[in-house]
Amino acid sequence: MSVGKIGEFDVHSKDWKLYVERLEQYFVVNGVKTELQVPTLITIMGAESYELLVNLCTPGKPKNKTFEQISEIIEKHLQPKPSELAERYKFRQRSQTGSETISEYVAVLKRMSKTCEFGSWLEESLRDQLVCGISSETIRQRLFAESKLDFAKAYRLAVSMETAEKDAATVEGHSAKSSSAGTAECHMTAAPTWRRGKVAGERPARNASGAVRETGSRGAQGRRGGAAAAPAQRDWGDRAWRQQACCRACGGAHDTIACKFARYVCRACNKLGHLRRMCPNLMDQHRIGATGDVTSGSERESDGSEEFQIL
């Protein structure tokens, strides 16, 4: 049983040199004798490639030639030796593209160097083109600063710096996301503070039982320009606005749990958790008023009057 499998050769797209290299290793692994190499090649190379081989060998026949002769005949036809100057020009013009890593770029340079006939200048040519063709200016400047830089050292430094740049970009991206999330959380936590409208150091008045009272003057001040007065000036029959209001305690645009008025007792229903202007009972009356029974202005003006806070 043979080891491995060699498929047919595609004369339109495959590299004949690579195909021959694979075939030679196939002969070694499976112990194919020299006299059997040509019959094996003719058997597996495919009908189209065999027809090409017959035409190239005319008036002779492929079976009368050696494996090396057949390989050379097809190579000269499919892959004629290119101009050395032209191949070197292509090599010098090749730069790293935006989608290539340094490893991929070097692999391309090595493949192109096969037809450049650099000889003993191969290592220096690869080093020069790596440094000159690399896309990162930072890495190029670092390589310029090195003394006695050979190709192996240039390749090692370039790959390590490329990896470091990617790692730094990843860390910076995570840090930016964490900072944005922390800032947003800080704003959310601090949001109720500016809505309180209390002057620093001001202490609320207390009634006889020790509960804090919301004074009428404070309610009037909120109605004159404070943010807390906005819900009192709305039409409570407007369902869309009531759905937008987040706080069920005062009607402000924040969470109820963060609102200080959640500890106040409603003067209308004597229940804990909201101001009089957010009382569900009054909301129902206002909604009825919007359809027929008009709510009096005095009731709207008294929304901010005294409520009790449970300490």
Side-chain angles (χ1 to χ4, degrees):
M1 183 177 178
S2 62
V3 179
K5 182 179 179 182
I6 302 295
E8 297 181 356
F9 177 72
D10 186 353
V11 298
H12 302 291
S13 60
K14 291 186 177 179
D15 189 321
W16 173 252
K17 290 183 179 180
L18 296 180
Y19 186 79
V20 171
E21 289 177 3
R22 291 188 59 210
L23 193 57
E24 289 174 344
Q25 297 305 310
Y26 178 82
F27 293 157
V28 173
V29 171
N30 292 281
V32 179
K33 297 179 180 180
T34 304
E35 61 270 17
L36 296 178
Q37 290 180 357
V38 173
T40 303
L41 171 62
I42 293 175
T43 301
I44 66 177
M45 69 188 308
E48 185 178 7
S49 56
Y50 178 69
E51 181 180 357
L52 174 63
L53 177 60
V54 170
N55 295 333
L56 296 175
C57 292
T58 302
K61 291 184 178 298
K63 65 180 182 179
N64 297 327
K65 298 185 179 297
T66 64
F67 179 78
E68 289 76 12
Q69 289 174 336
I70 292 177
S71 299
E72 185 178 355
I73 290 172
I74 296 181
E75 181 180 341
K76 287 182 178 180
H77 176 75
L78 296 179
Q79 296 174 272
K81 185 177 180 180
S83 169
E84 178 180 308
L85 291 176
E87 292 302 300
R88 290 188 179 185
Y89 174 79
K90 294 177 183 178
F91 180 84
R92 299 302 182 192
Q93 295 297 315
R94 184 61 163 85
S95 299
Q96 182 185 11
T97 63
S99 59
E100 281 181 334
T101 63
I102 293 178
S103 298
E104 293 171 341
Y105 175 52
V106 169
V108 173
L109 292 180
K110 288 185 175 182
R111 176 178 58 81
M112 296 179 67
S113 67
K114 291 180 179 180
T115 56
C116 293
E117 302 294 338
F118 285 124
S120 60
W121 294 91
L122 176 60
E123 291 291 316
E124 290 188 15
S125 299
L126 288 172
R127 179 204 61 186
D128 294 347
Q129 193 57 32
L130 169 61
V131 175
C132 296
I134 202 169
S135 60
S136 174
E137 188 64 31
T138 302
I139 299 178
R140 181 183 295 108
Q141 292 177 2
R142 176 67 175 82
L143 296 177
F144 281 160
E146 289 293 321
S147 60
K148 296 182 180 180
L149 182 69
D150 57 11
F151 171 70
K153 185 177 181 180
Y155 176 69
R156 184 173 63 254
L157 284 175
V159 171
S160 62
M161 290 189 66
E162 180 185 52
T163 304
E165 285 182 352
K166 291 180 180 179
D167 293 341
T170 302
V171 172
E172 184 178 355
H174 286 309
S175 300
K177 290 181 180 179
S178 301
S179 177
S180 299
T183 303
E185 182 178 357
C186 179
H187 285 313
M188 292 179 63
T189 304
T193 304
W194 63 265
R195 299 187 60 87
R196 292 175 182 176
K198 293 184 65 176
V199 179
E202 179 184 353
R203 301 187 59 85
R206 297 179 180 271
N207 61 1
S209 62
V212 178
R213 285 184 176 274
E214 179 80 358
T215 62
S217 61
R218 175 176 173 80
Q221 178 184 1
R223 283 192 294 272
R224 283 195 298 269
Q233 298 173 359
R234 301 277 185 173
D235 182 4
W236 290 103
D238 186 352
R239 181 181 298 271
W241 181 85
R242 287 189 297 108
Q243 290 177 350
Q244 292 177 358
C246 298
C247 180
R248 295 189 298 273
C250 70
H254 53 257
D255 292 337
T256 304
I257 193 172
C259 183
K260 72 169 188 176
F261 295 111
R263 300 177 59 84
Y264 277 60
V265 176
C266 175
R267 197 168 62 83
C269 65
N270 292 325
K271 292 182 179 180
L272 176 69
H274 58 268
L275 298 178
R276 181 179 185 275
R277 62 169 174 264
M278 294 299 295
C279 181
N281 297 337
L282 295 183
M283 282 186 176
D284 294 338
Q285 295 177 9
H286 287 310
R287 185 164 57 251
I288 295 174
T291 57
D293 184 13
V294 179
T295 305
S296 64
S298 60
E299 291 183 352
R300 292 183 180 272
E301 290 297 326
S302 62
D303 280 349
S305 58
E306 298 178 355
E307 271 84 7
F308 293 94
Q309 180 184 12
I310 302 301
L311 299 179

